[in-house]
Amino acid sequence: MSSTIPTQTATAAHPEPAHSEPAPHTAHHLSAKKFTLHFAEMVVAMAVGMVALHPVWTFVLDALGAAEVMHDPYTGALIMATNMTVAMSAWMKIRGHRWRPIAEMGAAMYLPFLVLFVPLALELIDEDALLLWGHVLMLPAMAAAMLLRPHEYAHC
């Protein structure tokens, strides 16, 4: 004698979404500790990217006779943001993130520098302030990107 256990399946009236947001009743299960740990992991990945990729850029630009590119505050800041973004994006992909959140986090790396290029061009700040404030503002920009999709970061 076989028994069947009734199961609830999706119906035409209530289809199950393929990739959905967590239901509102599960929002309280998101872990602030995991969210914060993930933020810290991304900051570490960014630091690793800066340290590991800077010599690569230096070597390639020196070989091309374009070492001055690293010393220009605009291109130097963009190269640094790229180094951080490459490493952080790789870490996010390893952690199972989708491309959209990775792209949003990448934008958070560049946005502070792009905004600060205006006061730099107007000579309201110098290169040191660009680098300092670019890095400082990157942290709330990252947090804002994470808060757009808290479930993306609190489950890892």
Side-chain angles (χ1 to χ4, degrees):
M1 179 188 255
S2 71
S3 66
T4 47
I5 300 171
T7 59
Q8 186 175 356
T9 60
T11 64
H14 302 288
E16 292 182 18
H19 226 262
S20 65
E21 305 289 321
H25 67 278
T26 61
H28 67 281
H29 293 292
L30 296 176
S31 170
K33 181 179 177 182
K34 287 182 180 180
F35 187 92
T36 304
L37 178 62
H38 196 67
F39 184 89
E41 288 175 2
M42 288 192 297
V43 171
V44 169
M46 291 162 42
V48 168
M50 282 193 313
V51 171
L53 296 175
H54 180 80
V56 174
W57 281 96
T58 301
F59 176 77
V60 170
L61 291 172
D62 282 347
L64 295 172
E68 69 278 356
V69 170
M70 288 292 282
H71 302 292
D72 177 78
Y74 299 97
T75 55
L78 293 176
I79 289 169
M80 187 181 314
T82 299
N83 293 344
M84 292 185 283
T85 302
V86 166
M88 184 195 53
S89 297
W91 182 247
M92 288 179 72
K93 199 62 184 161
I94 289 167
R95 297 282 275 153
H97 289 280
R98 297 170 294 121
W99 286 113
R100 182 174 180 169
I102 291 171
E104 292 167 351
M105 195 59 66
M109 301 294 95
Y110 292 95
L111 185 61
F113 289 114
L114 295 175
V115 168
L116 291 169
F117 284 171
V118 174
L120 179 67
L122 296 173
E123 297 181 1
L124 299 173
I125 63 171
D126 62 11
E127 182 179 345
D128 291 336
L130 170 73
L131 295 177
L132 171 68
W133 287 105
H135 286 90
V136 168
L137 294 173
M138 200 176 283
L139 300 175
M142 288 173 59
M146 289 176 75
L147 290 171
L148 283 175
R149 300 175 202 297
H151 61 280
E152 182 83 25
Y153 299 94
H155 77 283
C156 298

